[in-house]
């Protein structure tokens, strides 16, 4: 012992020890690009390694710990080891719907569930006591002062501006200081994972009494918006789902399709949260295996919030700010928390949001966002099903012949984008069944990266970005220019031109005002015409439709025009006279014809 102590003292004199702040800085830098870069604690100790004096810095992160070995002599990191915290062993098994519970517009038949493994559940979860985001409420967050530029600066914030990105970063700092507790069956396992956190909407408990469990507060950041003018965002949190007490309970949770979609019963059953967790985890793992390796973007979890009680959001699922949100459902509607195709579509918006940046601006109606969200879902469905048919597999809206420049609505424009991309995928898979999916997924993700923060992204810009990404190739994945023929062919039949030349046209006009109904203009989906009517009153509208062909894209007459009263631009909490008879149909027999469409709306909801 004396000899060892003396030798250590001698070495200490001979070697210039690095100060602690210097080794800590090197250690932080060493884990910066890892999948688990958060710092939850840091310790260090000096020791001999192969005759050299080193300092081992141990950094505790979210899911494990890093051991960074630094040489005092060279002042460099010589080893970097990551040890993940113990996981649930084995990973829990569950029964879930591989694509969805039932086919939209089908006969109500429930499809079969399949056994899966619930992967990446965290062995530790953060403990929440009180309002952990109270410090973020020391100011107001109005929608007309949200700015991704000014809201990032102290000067801008002093003027009342704010940024959701900045706020989420501050929320992450708050979470980093929370204590951890073991997440296992003994305490009630919560579905908090590497890629997903499952939560109950903060208003669900008060709106749907009768729960047979007491939900625990969740650490997930929940931005709540008021229905005021201007609207105000209030930082907050929600609740974790139903605790799981055993592996057998996961398998036995009932997937009942209740006639009235009773929210309290569904929360008591606890199945919806299992389905959503599986869906999010599957998307992230699938994309990661096909090139989604971006630091933070590919590992940051999506927060799911179930059972939003707002009547205005009923029968819906939507994405915003790293969250996927589920509402409640009318008896005749699908439960979107059990529809992976919808979940993957909404998360497709999230993938675009992460890769394409906060400052991306779409120059058209926004169809790119909807179409590419459909396409991300199609990529995951292709991966999960290996391209094999299943009930409803031919009914997705991405399977269409919709052309560009033939609509004035975001979701309809999205069909052209999504349809063209699906044609591109199908052609590539036909040429290369084994690697086609990986090649297309990789080039599309790269196209998103290349388009980041584009100030005016047009359809031509978007497809040119993919063609440029294709020209670069990816060693070991795809050769330069390999996919261009497939994309060019897909676009050729979709009324699309790179040169900006004339294309076929669809024109919808409000004859009462003699104004064309364009995206963002009165009468379009996002700019409704407000009516103040008594229950017994009615209001007439006269619309007209005209078509114009081109040599490259000729319409084949007769053409049928349909006015759909539900699940389309005319939908809403109003009653259209005759809507119970289904869509109204009109015929154009030639290029010179004009379809006159009379509509009458009543004051009855």
């Amino acid at each position: 012992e004396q000899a060892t102590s003396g030798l250590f003292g001698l070495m200490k004199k001979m070697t210039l020890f690095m100060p602690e702040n210097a080794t800590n800085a090197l250690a932080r830098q060493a884990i910066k690009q890892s999948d688990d870069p958060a710092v939850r604690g840091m310790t260090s100790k000096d020791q001999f390694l192969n005759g050299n004096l080193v300092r081992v810095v141990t950094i505790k992160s979210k899911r494990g710990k890093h051991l960074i070995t630094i040489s005092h002599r060279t002042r460099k990191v010589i080893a970097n080891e990551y040890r993940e915290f113990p996981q649930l062993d084995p990973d829990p098994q569950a029964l879930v719907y591989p694509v969805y519970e039932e086919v939209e517009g089908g006969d109500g038949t429930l499809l079969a569930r399949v056994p899966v493994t619930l992967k990446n559940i965290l062995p530790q979860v953060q403990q929440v006591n009180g309002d952990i985001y109270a410090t973020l409420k020391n100011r107001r967050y109005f929608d007309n002062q949200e700015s991704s530029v000014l809201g990032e600066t102290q000067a801008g914030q002093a003027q009342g501006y704010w940024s959701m990105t900045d706020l989420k970063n501050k929320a992450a700092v708050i979470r980093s200081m929370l204590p951890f507790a073991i997440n296992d069956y003994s305490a009630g396992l919560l579905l908090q994972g590497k890629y997903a956190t499952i939560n109950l909407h903060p208003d669900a408990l008060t709106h749907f009494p009768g729960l047979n469990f007491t939900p625990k507060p969740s650490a997930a950041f929940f931005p709540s918006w008021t229905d005021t003018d201007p609207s105000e965002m209030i930082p907050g949190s929600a609740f974790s789902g139903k605790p799981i007490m055993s592996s057998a309970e996961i398998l036995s949770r009932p997937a009942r399709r209740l006639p009235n979609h009773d929210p309290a019963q569904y929360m008591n059953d606890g199945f919806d949260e299992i389905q959503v967790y599986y869906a999010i985890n599957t998307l992230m793992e699938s994309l990661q295996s096909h090139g989604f390796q971006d630091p933070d973007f590919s590992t940051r979890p999506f927060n799911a919030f179930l059972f939003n009680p707002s009547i205005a959001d009923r029968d819906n699922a939507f994405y915003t700010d790293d969250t996927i949100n589920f509402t409640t459902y009318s008896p005749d509607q699908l439960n979107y928390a059990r529809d992976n195709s919808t979940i993957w579509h909404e998360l497709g918006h999230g993938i675009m949001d992460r890769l394409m940046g906060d400052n991306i601006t779409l120059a058209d109606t926004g169809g790119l966002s909807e179409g590419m969200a459909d396409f991300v879902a199609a990529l995951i469905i292709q991966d999960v099903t290996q391209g094999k048919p299943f009930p409803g597999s031919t009914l997705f809206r991405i399977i269409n012949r919709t052309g560009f420049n033939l609509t004035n609505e975001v979701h309809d424009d999205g069909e052209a984008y999504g349809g063209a991309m699906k044609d591109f995928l199908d052609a590539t898979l036909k040429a290369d069944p084994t690697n086609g999916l990986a090649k297309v997924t990789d080039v599309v993700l790269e196209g998103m990266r290349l388009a980041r923060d584009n100030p005016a992204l047009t359809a031509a810009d978007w497809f040119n970005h993919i063609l440029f990404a294709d020209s670069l190739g990816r060693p070991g994945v795809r050769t330069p220019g390999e996919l261009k023929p497939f994309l060019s062919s897909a676009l050729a039949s979709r009324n699309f031109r790179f040169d900006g030349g004339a294309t076929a046209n669809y024109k919808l006009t409000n004859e009462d005002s003699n104004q064309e109904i364009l995206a963002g203009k009165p009468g379009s989906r996002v700019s409704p015409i407000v009516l103040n009517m008594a229950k017994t009153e009615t209001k007439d509208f006269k619309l007209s439709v005209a078509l114009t062909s081109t040599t490259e894209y000729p319409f084949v007459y007769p053409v049928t025009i349909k006015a759909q009263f539900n699940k389309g631009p005319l939908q809403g909490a109003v009653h259209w006279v005759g809507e119970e008879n289904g869509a109204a149909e009109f015929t154009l027999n030639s290029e010179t014809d004009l379809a006159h469409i009379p509509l009458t709306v009543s004051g009855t909801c």
Side-chain angles (χ1 to χ4, degrees):
E1 289 181 359
Q2 289 179 347
T4 302
S5 176
L7 178 61
F8 184 82
L10 177 62
M11 288 297 297
K12 188 171 182 180
K13 292 178 182 178
M14 294 174 60
T15 304
L16 183 62
F17 273 63
M18 291 184 67
E20 187 176 32
N21 61 344
T23 51
N24 286 355
L26 282 175
R28 286 177 180 271
Q29 185 64 32
I31 72 168
K32 199 170 184 180
Q33 300 301 320
S34 75
D35 284 347
D36 192 7
V39 177
R40 298 291 183 265
M42 186 180 298
T43 59
S44 63
K45 64 178 181 179
D46 294 315
Q47 63 186 53
F48 283 105
L49 179 64
N50 298 325
N52 294 316
L53 188 61
V54 299
R55 177 166 294 164
V56 179
V57 180
T58 301
I59 297 178
K60 182 180 178 183
S61 294
K62 287 183 179 180
R63 301 180 299 276
K65 61 182 179 180
H66 303 267
L67 281 76
I68 314 299
T69 304
I70 301 169
S71 168
H72 281 291
R73 180 174 58 82
T74 64
R75 299 186 170 228
K76 293 182 179 180
V77 173
I78 60 175
N80 186 342
E81 181 184 355
Y82 178 71
R83 297 176 183 174
E84 196 166 33
F85 293 135
Q87 299 286 320
L88 292 172
D89 188 21
D91 288 330
Q93 302 295 300
L95 293 173
V96 302
Y97 295 107
V99 181
Y100 38 54
E101 179 182 46
E102 55 183 310
V103 178
E104 185 168 9
D107 60 6
T109 299
L110 300 187
L111 304 183
R113 290 187 290 161
V114 298
V116 299
T117 299
L118 298 182
K119 303 178 182 178
N120 300 311
I121 297 176
L122 297 179
Q124 293 182 312
V125 293
Q126 291 156 317
Q127 290 181 295
V128 177
N129 293 304
D131 185 357
I132 61 174
Y133 298 119
T135 56
L136 299 179
K137 298 177 181 177
N138 58 2
R139 55 155 298 176
R140 310 287 289 276
Y141 306 92
F142 296 108
D143 66 344
N144 58 4
Q145 291 185 296
E146 183 177 6
S147 170
S148 59
V149 178
L150 294 174
E152 298 285 329
T153 67
Q154 289 185 350
Q157 291 174 10
Q159 298 176 55
Y161 293 101
W162 64 282
S163 152
M164 184 62 77
T165 300
D166 175 71
L167 204 57
K168 288 190 294 185
N169 289 338
K170 290 176 179 176
V173 171
I174 292 173
R175 287 194 301 275
S176 71
M177 296 184 290
L178 295 176
F180 281 82
I182 297 298
N183 187 32
D184 61 13
Y185 298 127
S186 65
L189 182 74
L190 300 177
L191 290 177
Q192 309 290 316
K194 181 178 181 180
Y195 301 125
T197 75
I198 305 302
N199 310 273
L200 303 179
H201 190 281
D203 296 334
L205 275 62
T206 54
H207 279 74
F208 310 119
L211 298 189
N212 59 16
F213 65 100
T214 302
K216 298 178 181 178
S218 166
F221 178 67
F222 182 82
S224 180
W225 290 89
T226 65
D227 294 326
T228 55
D229 187 18
S231 182
E232 182 179 1
M233 194 284 299
I234 301 175
S237 56
F239 297 93
S240 298
K242 184 175 183 178
I244 301 170
M245 307 312 295
S246 68
S247 58
E249 184 200 335
I250 300 179
L251 287 168
S252 64
R253 285 193 172 185
R256 296 184 294 171
R257 201 296 191 186
L258 299 176
N260 61 348
H261 285 310
D262 183 86
Q265 288 299 320
Y266 280 165
M267 282 189 276
N268 284 333
D269 290 346
F271 171 73
D272 286 20
E273 58 193 68
I274 291 176
Q275 183 72 40
V276 172
Y277 182 90
Y278 163 78
I280 298 176
N281 195 77
T282 297
L283 173 132
M284 294 294 279
E285 288 195 327
S286 175
L287 291 181
Q288 280 200 348
S289 69
H290 293 135
F292 188 45
Q293 299 291 333
D294 307 70
D296 185 48
F297 293 162
S298 64
T299 56
R300 191 167 73 234
F302 286 105
N303 299 318
F305 296 93
L306 282 69
F307 304 107
N308 175 355
S310 170
I311 191 67
D313 294 320
R314 194 171 175 84
D315 301 328
N316 201 3
F318 58 92
Y319 165 84
T320 181
D321 299 314
D322 267 356
T323 72
I324 180 168
N325 302 266
F326 300 89
T327 64
T328 57
Y329 305 100
S330 305
D332 61 340
Q333 297 296 311
L334 301 182
N335 178 352
Y336 288 129
R338 302 182 185 183
D339 184 342
N340 293 343
S341 63
T342 295
I343 296 172
W344 294 332
H345 167 93
E346 298 303 334
L347 293 177
H349 289 296
I351 300 301
M352 293 179 67
D353 192 39
R354 292 182 179 188
L355 290 181
M356 300 180 78
D358 293 334
N359 296 315
I360 187 77
T361 301
L362 306 180
D364 60 13
T365 61
L368 170 63
S369 179
E370 290 302 321
M372 291 309 300
D374 279 346
F375 187 61
V376 170
L379 292 174
I380 309 305
I381 291 172
Q382 174 70 30
D383 193 16
V384 169
T385 66
Q386 296 298 298
K388 296 178 181 178
F390 55 89
S393 60
T394 62
L395 301 178
F396 292 109
R397 68 181 180 189
I398 199 172
I399 303 173
N400 63 71
R401 296 307 314 160
T402 302
F404 287 88
N405 309 303
L406 298 176
T407 176
N408 63 351
E409 290 291 346
V410 170
H411 289 75
D412 300 333
D413 275 354
E415 292 190 19
Y417 280 100
M421 294 301 297
K422 182 65 164 60
D423 292 348
F424 170 43
L425 173 63
D426 290 344
T428 307
L429 286 170
K430 185 176 180 180
D432 187 351
T434 303
N435 301 310
L437 177 62
K439 292 177 179 180
V440 170
T441 304
D442 181 79
V443 80
V444 169
L445 292 173
E446 187 66 0
M448 291 181 185
R449 297 183 189 103
L450 292 171
R452 187 170 183 83
D453 290 335
N454 191 300
L457 190 70
T458 65
D461 292 332
W462 167 246
F463 290 115
N464 273 318
H465 277 80
I466 294 183
L467 291 174
F468 180 67
D470 174 56
S471 72
L472 299 176
R474 177 87 68 190
V477 180
R478 48 188 174 81
T479 58
E482 177 183 358
L483 305 179
K484 180 177 180 179
F486 306 127
L487 181 59
S488 298
S489 176
L491 293 173
S493 63
R494 294 274 179 173
N495 194 36
F496 183 84
R497 294 183 61 166
F498 279 106
D499 60 8
T503 56
N505 184 52
Y506 158 90
K507 184 177 182 180
L508 177 66
T509 302
N510 182 351
E511 293 185 344
D512 294 322
S513 62
N514 196 32
Q515 290 185 337
E516 185 176 359
I517 301 175
L518 300 172
K521 300 296 183 181
S524 65
R525 185 189 298 264
V526 296
S527 183
I529 297 173
V530 178
L531 301 177
N532 294 309
M533 303 169 61
K535 183 176 181 179
T536 56
E537 288 184 288
T538 60
K539 171 68 176 178
D540 295 329
F541 291 93
K542 295 178 182 178
L543 307 181
S544 65
V545 170
L547 301 177
T548 304
S549 298
T550 63
T551 303
E552 296 80 9
Y553 196 92
F555 290 104
V556 179
Y557 294 93
V559 174
T560 300
I561 306 295
K562 292 184 178 181
Q564 294 183 315
F565 300 99
N566 295 296
K567 296 186 178 180
L570 299 183
Q571 69 188 7
V574 293
H575 176 261
W576 294 90
V577 175
E579 69 175 48
E580 58 276 3
N581 299 321
E585 296 189 3
F586 306 86
T587 301
L588 290 174
N589 292 304
S590 70
E591 196 89 350
T592 58
D593 268 5
L594 197 65
H596 296 281
I597 303 174
L599 299 172
T600 301
V601 63
S602 72
T604 301
C605 292

